[in-house]
Amino acid sequence: MTRDRWLATHPYLQPLADLRAAVDSVMAEVVIVRADIPSWNEYTDDFHSGVPLLHSSAITVDLESVGASLVALAQGLSLRALPGSLAEECRAFHSELLSTPDAPRHALHRLLDKGITVSEPQALLQYLGWSVLARYLHPVVGAFNCWRDEERWLRNYCPTCGASPAMAQLAGTEPGRLRMLSCGRCETRWRYRRTACPFCENIDNHKLAVLAVEGQSGLRIDYCEECRGYIKTYNGEGSERILLADWTSIHLDVVARDRGLKRFARSFYDL
């Protein structure tokens, strides 16, 4: 599945595709350093205790070094033709980041604050901030995937940043088929139980259901009747780049919400 082929059958997604393309284009011109790989031995105890990597006091991932990249991204986008009032919002955000020397650092640290509510101003910070951080953390996420024992992290939140999963994937063949959860922020994927709600952890099969949507190339909605939480699920392999991108299936979020289901993971596309 290619991006163009998906958009040909889902033309209403074009504004989101244009926004994503604009962000990628500007980021290609922005210098983004890559995070150093932490010492895994120092993090082992926190890992076994369920502490996400970026929330561990045992290791340090320097977020300050990407502050300038966030400023450059906001500035570059403010000069682009964007949907709605986003260019104007990017100009205001850029000015905010330049208001004090510590503003970029404070903005990046707010990205990891679980208690923060994603209001209109925060939505832009979350989207642009995690666009930069995902690229900055890419080598760490890759090394972390190789290091950790998936059997020791069957938790319902991201082992890297602590976020709730944005999407899921069913991969492999029976009887060894795996369920992987996908973080919409840092792009980590991790293993989770096949038959459990990834939000309230309910394991009652009678309260776990599937909502199929016709013509969606393996995408479906898994939901829990106990907490009413849902997760969009890619049932297959080979098209992860497109079908786990979140924005490419935002129409499924509309379907789910029309049925009274709840999205627990933050969506950048509330913008």
Side-chain angles (χ1 to χ4, degrees), residues 45-85:
D45 289 343
D46 274 355
F47 173 76
H48 291 163
S49 298
V51 180
L53 182 67
L54 297 183
H55 291 275
S56 173
S57 59
I59 57 96
T60 300
V61 177
D62 179 19
L63 299 184
E64 295 185 28
S65 60
V66 287
S69 302
L70 178 59
V71 173
L73 176 59
Q75 181 182 30
L77 287 172
S78 70
L79 304 175
R80 297 295 180 100
L82 300 176
S85 60

Side-chain angles (χ1 to χ4, degrees), residues 8-9 26 28 52 62 78 90 103 113 131 133 150 173 178 222 229 232-233 240 244 254:
T9 55
V26 173
D62 179 19
S78 70
C90 285
D113 186 348
S131 294
L133 280 183
E150 293 288 1
T173 57
L178 299 179
D222 293 351
K232 298 179 295 183
T233 298
E240 289 84 353
L244 288 179
V254 176

Side-chain angles (χ1 to χ4, degrees), residues 124-203:
L124 188 61
L125 165 60
Q126 291 281 330
Y127 182 47
L128 300 189
W130 279 107
S131 294
V132 170
L133 280 183
R135 186 163 298 190
Y136 170 68
L137 293 169
H138 183 74
V140 173
V141 169
F144 192 23
N145 287 343
C146 295
W147 173 81
R148 70 176 181 269
D149 179 357
E150 293 288 1
E151 293 289 342
R152 300 296 294 268
W153 191 281
L154 296 176
R155 293 176 167 86
N156 64 346
Y157 53 92
C158 176
T160 302
C161 71
S164 296
M167 297 197 67
Q169 179 184 12
L170 292 173
T173 57
E174 299 294 358
R177 206 160 195 221
L178 299 179
R179 185 191 198 187
M180 304 296 291
L181 301 182
S182 178
C183 180
R185 300 199 308 185
C186 67
E187 302 178 359
T188 298
R189 296 177 190 171
W190 71 101
R191 186 176 168 186
Y192 191 65
R193 289 169 289 176
R194 283 272 305 274
T195 55
C197 172
F199 305 112
C200 71
E201 301 187 286
N202 166 48
I203 57 173

Side-chain angles (χ1 to χ4, degrees), residues 9 16 19 33 42 68 89 97 143 151 188 190 218 237 242 263-264 266-267:
T9 55
L16 289 177
L19 174 58
V33 298
E42 295 176 4
E89 291 174 25
L97 291 174
E151 293 289 342
T188 298
W190 71 101
E237 295 179 85
I242 299 298
R263 175 169 172 139
F264 286 97
R266 293 171 176 171
S267 174

